Amino acid sequence: MTTARGLTSCSASATAAVLLTSLLSAPAFADDPLASWNESPTKRAVVSFVERVTKQGGPDFVPVADRVAAFDNDGTLWSEQPTYVQAAFLIDRVKALAAEHPDWKDKQPFKSVIENGLEGTWTLSTHQVVEIVAATHTGMDVDAFQRIVEDWLTTAEHPRFKKPYTELVYQPMLELLAYLRANGFKTYIVSGGGVEFMRPWAERVYGVPPEQVVGSSVKVRYEEREGKPVLIRLPEVAFIDDRAGKPDGIYRAAGRRPIAAFGNSDGDYELLRWTTAGPGPRLGLIVHHTDADREWAYDRNSHSGRLAKALDEAPARGWLVVDMKNDWKTVFRFQR
C-alpha cells in the first residue's frame, strides 16, 4: 500500500457527496459544455449528434426514454496504464494477505505476484487470474468488500503521477458524461472490470449511480451470520462483461439498445457494433491513446487496452476516433 495523497475519503459527509454528484451531473461550463475538447471535427460531430437527437420535431429526434449511452471504463473514462486499476488492487490484495497465507510465497500464481508485482502478472493465464481473484476478492460479505475497495482507494496512488487513481479520470469524458445527462441521456458504465469494484466510487467520481454500472461479477449467496442476513461473495464467476458480454450486459441492465457507445479497445468492439447497427441515429466513439507526454501512446501492442480491429474498422463503420493528443486540450484535471 502507498500513502494517501489528498483523495477525499469515501467516508466524507453525505452533503459533500451530493454536491459533487450534482456538479458532475450538470453541464460542465455554461458557454461550452465540452470546454476541455479542442475545436475539431470530432467535437463537432459529437455536438451535432446530441443536437439532432434532442431536437423536438426533427427527423432524428429520439425520445428521452431511448437516450441510452454506454461507456467502457478502463482507458475510456480513466487511465488503464501501466495496468488496469483493478489489477493494481489485486496485486496489493495478494501482498496484504500474503502473511496469512505463507504457502503463497512458493505457490503459483501467487509467487509471481509477490516477487515481481506488475511484471509478475503479464504471464498469468486467465485461469490463474481467476484463481487469484477467488482467493483475494471473495469469502467476505458484499458490504465488507465495498469497504476494502474504499479503503484501498484512499491510500493507493498511481505509480507515474503519484495521484489517487480516482484523479486519473479524463476531464473531457467527465464533461461528455455531464453533457449527455444534461440532454436527457441515461449514462451507463459497461466494463470488463468487476462491478463490485466500480460501484463504491462510480457515482462520486462519474455521477453514474450503482444501478447503472455493469461489469463482471462473482456469484453471491444469502446467509445468516450471527443472526444477521448477509450476501457472501463466492469464488465462482457469475458473468464476464467483456467483448461479446458487453452487449449482453447493457441489454440486461437497460432493457434496450444504446444509441451511443464509447470505448477504447478491441474489448469494446462488440458493444460498438451492436450499438451502431441499430436503426435511427447512432454514435460510436473510440478514445485513441496518442499522447505519450500527458498520458500514454499505445494501441496494437499494449498489455492493457489493445486496440487493432476496432481501429481498423472505425472509418468504414462510421465510428469517431478521438485523437487524444490533438482533440483534447486537457487530459487530467490536475494538468490544467
Side-chain angles (χ1 to χ4, degrees), residues 246-316:
K246 290 196 172 188
D248 182 1
I250 183 60
Y251 182 72
R252 288 169 184 255
R256 61 189 77 222
R257 188 192 306 242
I259 65 169
F262 307 85
N264 79 294
S265 75
D266 286 350
D268 306 310
Y269 176 84
E270 290 84 355
L271 176 64
L272 288 161
R273 284 279 287 121
W274 188 65
T275 297
T276 57
R282 301 279 155 171
L283 175 65
L285 181 147
I286 296 170
V287 176
H288 190 195
H289 295 261
T290 58
D291 197 328
D293 293 328
R294 295 184 297 177
E295 205 239 9
W296 272 272
Y298 63 95
D299 43 43
R300 300 177 188 276
N301 299 311
S302 177
H303 285 294
S304 304
R306 182 179 183 273
L307 175 65
K309 183 178 182 179
L311 184 63
D312 291 341
E313 296 187 15

Side-chain angles (χ1 to χ4, degrees), residues 44-103:
R44 289 193 292 273
V46 171
V47 172
S48 173
F49 171 79
V50 174
E51 290 178 343
R52 286 187 292 111
V53 301
T54 58
K55 184 177 180 181
Q56 188 79 35
D60 291 328
F61 176 75
V62 175
V64 170
D66 292 323
R67 293 180 203 167
V68 172
F71 287 77
D72 169 55
N73 184 42
D74 298 304
T76 300
L77 295 179
W78 72 352
S79 182
E80 64 185 356
Q81 296 291 345
T83 191
Y84 301 114
V85 177
Q86 192 165 358
F89 172 72
L90 180 147
I91 292 167
D92 280 355
R93 285 288 292 159
V94 169
K95 293 180 177 180
L97 294 173
E100 300 174 23
H101 301 273
D103 58 310

